[in-house]
Amino acid sequence: MFNMNARIESITLNRMVVAYVIGMLVTLMILSSLNSNAFFTTKNNIRSIIMQNAYASDRHTNELSIKDIIFKKTDYSTTTERVIFGVQNPYPLSAALSSTGANSSTGNSSLSLVQSIPLPNVTGRIDHLGVDKKGERLFVAELGNNSVDIIDLRGGKRISSITTGLNEPQGIAFIPELNRLFVANRADGSVNIFDGKTFTLLQTIKLNGDADNIRYDSNNGLVYVGYGNGGLAVINASSGEKLGNIQLPGHPESFQLEKFGNKVFANVPDDDSIIVADKKNLKVTSKWTLTSATENFPMALDEGNHRLFVGFRDPAKVIVYDTESGRGVASFNTAKDVDDIFYDAANKQIYISGGEGAVDIFKQRDADHYDLVNRIQSAQGARTSLFVPELNQLYLAVPEHQGQEAQIQIYEVG
């Protein structure tokens, strides 16, 4: 009897020990999880504080500030993130951060067609587009139709047209501070300034033929217009006065202005070159001679990573250049007959519209590596487009073709 009771007590004790050990293990696992989450949260809070302090420390200056901020991940590894700060027009943090890791790209690679807005009775070639972001109006330069259409993006319809005072409109830019619309004309080289509400012609500036691409620099209130056999005219947006000129070796196609620096990059296909000029002294500072491709028309700028995307038509490709050295660092094939390229900093993507009837989307893995993630079939001749990051949309101009009515196709990112 005694032996039997002893055996029962021994078994009971063993079970209690096992239960105790299991209970301790579960408790340790829960505590470990809580500590890990607390540590992760603490690290994220510390990272946020570091970023905010770094940003705040630069708000006293009007100059471009670039900081490499080091974040300690473990006792043995760190990561560095490069952040661009500026007072007048700082990049949003999501667009400014460029991680050194190869897998830093985030965002959605899709473009979804959400609407098509018809352009009745518009024939011929459609050139560039402009936008009133606050008023959500799109301006369409219809070169072949000798008109400019105004599209209400909220209502999804054409609300007005400019049909007088134009002479084959090509470039177009809306100046929100002044509520004025600048239109560059190919045939006579003039630049028309229209009232942004009534579309009354306010002023005409005469340039030396073939006025084309227009860019507005909100930092200095200046409008830049490519024109003629080799010039970038600099115009005071408020007064309409031509203030100067950057002399180029041929007719400029697309060009880009640095937001935080003083460089201007211009495609000059007639000269098989890319020209770099200074915005302050209006002088050419360097020339990149092209050898591996020709017909360099569109261009986009990733200022944060010092990368310039140049689209070529022969052969159809994009070459990525280091803006500091002029060295080509990457290239990839694209749709044919490209006319517009846009860099989406928030999603690390490049959108390229080609006249063969396709829009290509490339993902930026890092400054020197790019992957084709999608090709969207659009329409024959639809080569001009406009990406507006604030509205998260890409607008594609589709010309009239073999019974297909001219239209604006609206694609949404994500």
Side-chain angles (χ1 to χ4, degrees), residues 246-263:
I246 300 175
Q247 193 65 39
L248 303 173
H251 177 75
E253 290 297 332
S254 182
F255 62 92
Q256 296 294 321
L257 312 170
E258 285 187 335
K259 291 182 180 180
F260 299 105
N262 291 312
K263 290 180 182 177

Side-chain angles (χ1 to χ4, degrees), residues 6-20:
R7 177 176 291 183
I8 291 171
E9 289 176 0
S10 176
I11 293 172
T12 302
L13 180 61
N14 289 338
R15 287 178 177 173
M16 289 176 62
V17 169
V18 171
Y20 177 80

Side-chain angles (χ1 to χ4, degrees), residues 257-314:
L257 312 170
E258 285 187 335
K259 291 182 180 180
F260 299 105
N262 291 312
K263 290 180 182 177
V264 182
F265 304 93
N267 272 333
V268 186
D270 293 342
D271 189 55
D272 290 328
S273 66
I274 298 168
I275 298 298
V276 185
D278 188 284
K279 285 194 294 184
K280 283 188 174 179
N281 59 33
L282 306 183
K283 299 293 184 181
V284 172
T285 57
S286 62
K287 172 180 173 178
W288 307 343
T289 300
L290 307 173
T291 56
S292 61
T294 60
E295 297 186 42
N296 50 315
F297 281 78
M299 174 188 287
L301 178 63
D302 171 9
E303 191 171 352
N305 286 310
H306 306 289
R307 293 295 180 262
L308 188 70
F309 309 104
V310 177
F312 295 84
R313 294 180 181 173
D314 188 19

Side-chain angles (χ1 to χ4, degrees), residues 85-385:
F85 302 93
V87 171
Q88 293 175 331
N89 275 314
Y91 283 124
L93 289 182
S94 61
L97 294 178
S98 177
S99 171
T100 56
N103 297 318
S104 62
S105 295
T106 59
N108 201 315
S109 61
S110 66
L111 277 179
S112 302
L113 179 62
V114 294
Q115 191 175 19
S116 294
I117 301 175
L119 301 175
N121 304 315
V122 172
T123 60
R125 178 177 138 200
I126 299 177
D127 219 311
H128 298 292
L129 309 173
V131 69
D132 170 13
K133 299 169 190 175
K134 185 177 180 180
E136 295 189 45
R137 296 181 298 171
L138 186 72
F139 305 98
V140 187
E142 299 154 350
L143 184 148
N145 207 56
N146 208 36
S147 58
V148 169
D149 271 347
I150 297 91
I151 307 297
D152 175 8
L153 293 172
R154 266 194 223 113
K157 61 182 180 181
R158 179 171 63 187
I159 55 174
S160 187
S161 294
I162 302 173
T163 57
T164 59
L166 301 171
N167 208 334
E168 298 185 347
Q170 290 192 119
I172 195 161
F174 178 72
I175 315 302
E177 299 91 328
L178 304 171
N179 196 25
R180 291 181 181 176
L181 185 67
F182 281 64
V183 180
N185 297 279
R186 182 178 72 169
D188 62 358
S190 64
V191 177
N192 301 133
I193 305 176
F194 295 93
D195 180 271
K197 182 178 180 180
T198 64
F199 304 112
T200 302
L201 181 61
L202 303 175
Q203 189 176 350
T204 297
I205 304 162
K206 291 291 186 180
L207 301 177
N208 184 23
D210 197 7
D212 198 344
N213 281 271
I214 297 181
R215 301 284 183 269
Y216 174 58
D217 189 342
S218 59
N219 288 334
N220 54 27
L222 299 178
V223 172
Y224 296 77
V225 184
Y227 74 96
N229 295 324
L232 282 180
V234 183
I235 299 169
N236 183 299
S238 181
S239 67
E241 178 188 2
K242 182 183 175 184
L243 302 178
N245 187 72
I246 300 175
Q247 193 65 39
L248 303 173
H251 177 75
E253 290 297 332
S254 182
F255 62 92
Q256 296 294 321
L257 312 170
E258 285 187 335
K259 291 182 180 180
F260 299 105
N262 291 312
K263 290 180 182 177
V264 182
F265 304 93
N267 272 333
V268 186
D270 293 342
D271 189 55
D272 290 328
S273 66
I274 298 168
I275 298 298
V276 185
D278 188 284
K279 285 194 294 184
K280 283 188 174 179
N281 59 33
L282 306 183
K283 299 293 184 181
V284 172
T285 57
S286 62
K287 172 180 173 178
W288 307 343
T289 300
L290 307 173
T291 56
S292 61
T294 60
E295 297 186 42
N296 50 315
F297 281 78
M299 174 188 287
L301 178 63
D302 171 9
E303 191 171 352
N305 286 310
H306 306 289
R307 293 295 180 262
L308 188 70
F309 309 104
V310 177
F312 295 84
R313 294 180 181 173
D314 188 19
K317 66 192 302 185
V318 164
I319 298 179
V320 184
Y321 294 91
D322 182 330
T323 59
E324 298 298 299
S325 65
R327 180 177 60 91
V329 297
S331 69
F332 42 86
N333 298 329
T334 68
K336 296 178 182 177
D337 193 26
V338 296
D339 206 49
D340 272 316
I341 297 178
F342 298 95
Y343 176 64
D344 179 353
N347 292 300
K348 304 293 184 184
Q349 295 182 158
I350 301 117
Y351 309 121
I352 305 165
S353 53
E356 74 166 88
V359 177
D360 287 339
I361 307 170
F362 284 83
K363 177 69 86 174
Q364 181 186 55
R365 282 192 281 132
D366 57 41
D368 297 340
H369 298 90
Y370 303 83
D371 301 312
L372 176 66
V373 294
N374 201 3
R375 169 169 286 188
I376 298 171
Q377 299 302 316
S378 54
Q380 189 70 30
R383 67 181 190 177
T384 53
S385 58

Side-chain angles (χ1 to χ4, degrees), residues 48-59:
S48 177
I49 291 169
I50 292 172
M51 293 292 291
Q52 291 172 12
N53 289 342
Y55 185 78
S57 69
D58 276 359
R59 293 195 65 83

